[in-house]
């Protein structure tokens, strides 16, 4: 499989084979193919495996706390690499990379998370903060707290991002009402709300594209 990976690239390998190669480094002297297949079967795909909670990973046969932590390292590296593609860069010219970063961070989250991307006058990303964590279908959002953080960062514009663990990226009426309220609160401070992205497992909805902003 190593030869196949180096000669033909990762596309030539199944998800479980890539996972098998990774696990072999953490679990030596053991056939890890059944473990890799069991993980994919349980969590759906590589993304599901690496974003699964530690306690769920260690419940799997053959997965120690050490191995589970190393699997979580993949998630951390993926998020860091995606962030490096957008931080300090104009979001308009790197929009696909920005959406990719948001999806990497949120598409596998099991509860709602509300994040705000803060932009400077040149629309460069200067900060990304989680300002709300919630349940399977709700994360509390406080518009005045968003504005407070924007002023602290001296941000000129914002992009809101939250996820729908249900799998449906369609904005809810609550999402729409909250976004409009936040846009109104931002106006007196000359802070522009560029977009609100809703991340689901398979797709992403943009308020701007949908004509909601």
């Amino acid at each position: 499989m190593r030869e196949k990976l180096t000669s033909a690239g990762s596309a030539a390998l199944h998800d479980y084979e890539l996972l098998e190669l990774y696990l072999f480094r953490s679990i030596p002297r053991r056939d890890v193919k059944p473990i890799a297949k069991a993980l994919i079967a349980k969590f759906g795909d590589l993304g599901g495996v690496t974003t699964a909670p530690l306690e769920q990973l260690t419940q799997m046969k053959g997965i120690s706390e050490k191995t589970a932590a190393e699997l979580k390292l993949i998630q951390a590296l993926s998020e860091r690499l995606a962030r490096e593609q957008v931080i300090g860069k104009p979001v308009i010219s790197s929009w696909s990379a920005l959406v990719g970063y948001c999806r990497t961070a949120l598409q596998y989250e099991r509860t709602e998370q509300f994040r705000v991307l803060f932009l400077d006058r040149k629309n460069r990303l200067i900060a990304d903060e989680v300002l709300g964590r919630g349940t399977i279908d709700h994360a509390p959002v406080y518009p005045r707290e968003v504005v407070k953080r924007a002023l602290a960062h001296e941000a000129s514009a914002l992009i809101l991002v939250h996820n729908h663990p249900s799998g449906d990226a369609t904005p809810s009426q609550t999402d729409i009402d909250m976004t409009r309220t936040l846009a109104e609160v931002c106006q007196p401070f000359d802070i522009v709300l560029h977009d609100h992205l809703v991340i689901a497992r398979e797709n992403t909805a943009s308020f701007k594209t949908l004509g909601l902003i």
Side-chain angles (χ1 to χ4, degrees):
M1 283 191 294
R2 287 196 187 96
E3 291 178 358
K4 193 174 182 181
L5 177 65
T6 55
S7 62
S10 61
L13 296 175
H14 296 290
D15 280 2
Y16 79 85
E17 291 177 315
L18 288 170
L19 188 55
E20 183 182 352
L21 278 173
Y22 187 82
L23 289 173
F24 182 75
R25 300 172 59 85
S26 179
I27 313 174
R29 299 181 298 279
R30 181 172 179 177
D31 181 9
V32 294
K33 181 179 289 186
I35 300 174
K37 285 188 172 182
L39 286 167
I40 296 294
K42 171 70 174 179
F43 299 108
D45 54 25
L46 284 173
V49 172
T50 60
T51 57
L54 280 169
E55 59 271 19
Q56 291 188 22
L57 288 171
T58 54
Q59 288 174 3
M60 299 294 292
K61 184 178 180 180
I63 300 297
S64 64
E65 290 186 5
K66 172 179 175 292
T67 301
E70 291 187 357
L71 287 170
K72 298 301 291 181
L73 177 61
I74 300 177
Q75 178 191 12
L77 288 171
S78 297
E79 290 188 16
R80 188 65 58 87
L81 289 170
R83 180 182 174 84
E84 288 178 355
Q85 298 301 310
V86 295
I87 194 72
K89 298 179 181 178
V91 298
I92 303 304
S93 61
S94 56
W95 188 253
S96 61
L98 181 75
V99 173
Y101 165 62
C102 294
R103 290 191 58 76
T104 298
L106 289 173
Q107 73 179 115
Y108 291 101
E109 282 289 325
R110 290 160 175 77
T111 57
E112 274 206 18
Q113 188 181 113
F114 182 83
R115 302 172 81 129
V116 181
L117 309 183
F118 300 94
L119 313 177
D120 66 12
R121 293 187 182 280
K122 294 184 178 180
N123 285 324
R124 293 176 301 196
L125 179 62
I126 53 178
D128 167 19
E129 293 187 0
V130 178
L131 295 185
R133 296 182 187 271
T135 63
I136 188 69
D137 60 0
H138 175 70
V141 182
Y142 303 101
R144 293 187 184 280
E145 179 64 20
V146 174
V147 172
K148 178 181 177 182
R149 296 304 302 150
L151 293 174
H153 287 296
E154 299 184 351
S156 297
L158 309 174
I159 296 174
L160 311 180
V161 188
H162 83 281
N163 61 309
H164 279 178
S166 66
D168 183 3
T170 305
S172 67
Q173 188 59 50
T174 300
D175 294 336
I176 295 169
D177 293 342
M178 178 276 296
T179 303
R180 289 173 177 168
T181 298
L182 203 152
E184 291 175 1
V185 173
C186 285
Q187 281 182 348
F189 301 95
D190 292 324
I191 300 172
V192 178
L193 180 56
H194 279 322
D195 206 344
H196 185 166
L197 302 177
V198 183
I199 309 294
R201 182 73 173 262
E202 301 296 336
N203 58 348
T204 300
S206 160
F207 271 51
K208 187 172 183 178
T209 300
L210 294 171
L212 298 172
I213 259 183

